[in-house]
Amino acid sequence: MAILPIRRAGDPVLREKAKRVRTIDSSIHKLIDDMWETMYDAPGVGLAAPQIGISLRVIVIDVPEHEPVALVNPEIVKRSGERDLDEGCLSVPGYRGHITRSVKVVAKGIDPYTGKEVRIKAQDDLMAEALEHEIDHVNGILYIDYLPGPDALVPVGDAPELKRLQER
Ligand code: NI
């Protein structure tokens, strides 16, 4: 396993629509191991493969009150409701932003350890937010894209210049 550098907003790999994984082989398991290690080291509660420079549809999430989940080729199947959230991202260090996300989220994907399709239902919790956030990443979307205006992004700590983060 390896802790890999996390790509930051402005890096083109974060803006690509990541490729579907065709075969879950040892290289995918190694990728996921590296993603877990990188995420826990950061520390964060979710990570998508493009954030370590790999343009593949793979995500990992570990939030309280849920088992850790790794998903290959994840998709949102259903979403409903709206709620306001204060969100952050390891690729946008130094900022938090107020955005709107869904209340209920159903996602599906392949469990890389069993090879079987799994569905994850989440409602009004961090898992629902993380599923939308990480699946956005594999579609080249960052949460800052949803900001209603410049005041919605709040610097925390040592924040880099805002303009660079908004390039796409
Ligand atoms: Ni993120």
Side-chain angles (χ1 to χ4, degrees):
M1 293 210 283
I3 296 167
L4 299 171
I6 295 175
R7 304 300 182 93
R8 295 189 173 193
D11 188 318
V13 73
L14 294 174
R15 293 312 195 169
E16 286 173 25
K17 197 165 155 62
K19 287 181 207 71
R20 288 182 73 80
V21 173
R22 290 171 173 275
T23 311
I24 299 172
D25 56 16
S26 61
S27 73
I28 298 299
H29 289 136
K30 187 188 174 301
L31 168 66
I32 292 168
D33 288 346
D34 289 347
M35 288 171 66
W36 284 127
E37 195 170 12
T38 302
M39 183 193 85
Y40 288 124
D41 176 69
V45 297
L47 195 75
Q51 291 183 278
I52 53 168
I54 306 295
S55 192
L56 286 174
R57 307 182 79 79
V58 180
I59 64 170
V60 296
I61 295 171
D62 187 357
V63 293
E65 293 167 26
H66 280 270
E67 292 290 302
V69 57
L71 285 180
V72 171
N73 299 335
E75 289 173 40
I76 301 285
V77 194
K78 210 189 250 184
R79 59 177 124 211
S80 61
E82 279 193 2
R83 57 184 180 137
D84 293 328
L85 290 171
D86 185 28
E87 195 156 303
C89 177
L90 294 174
S91 294
V92 189
Y95 288 94
R96 304 281 300 171
H98 306 298
I99 62 160
T100 300
R101 292 237 182 242
S102 308
V103 177
K104 279 191 188 182
V105 174
V106 182
K108 69 171 184 179
I110 308 295
D111 178 327
Y113 305 110
T114 65
K116 297 203 165 110
E117 185 177 291
V118 290
R119 273 178 187 243
I120 298 167
K121 288 183 190 173
Q123 184 171 339
D124 205 16
D125 60 6
L126 191 52
M127 178 57 96
E129 180 179 11
L131 285 167
E132 287 194 308
H133 181 111
E134 302 311 331
I135 292 172
D136 273 350
H137 269 302
V138 297
N139 289 318
I141 297 164
L142 299 175
Y143 85 85
I144 53 176
D145 302 344
Y146 301 126
L147 295 174
D151 294 346
L153 197 60
V154 182
V156 285
D158 189 15
E161 196 193 337
L162 182 57
K163 220 172 135 197
R164 191 177 60 76
L165 297 172
Q166 289 178 319
E167 284 166 9
R168 68 167 298 167

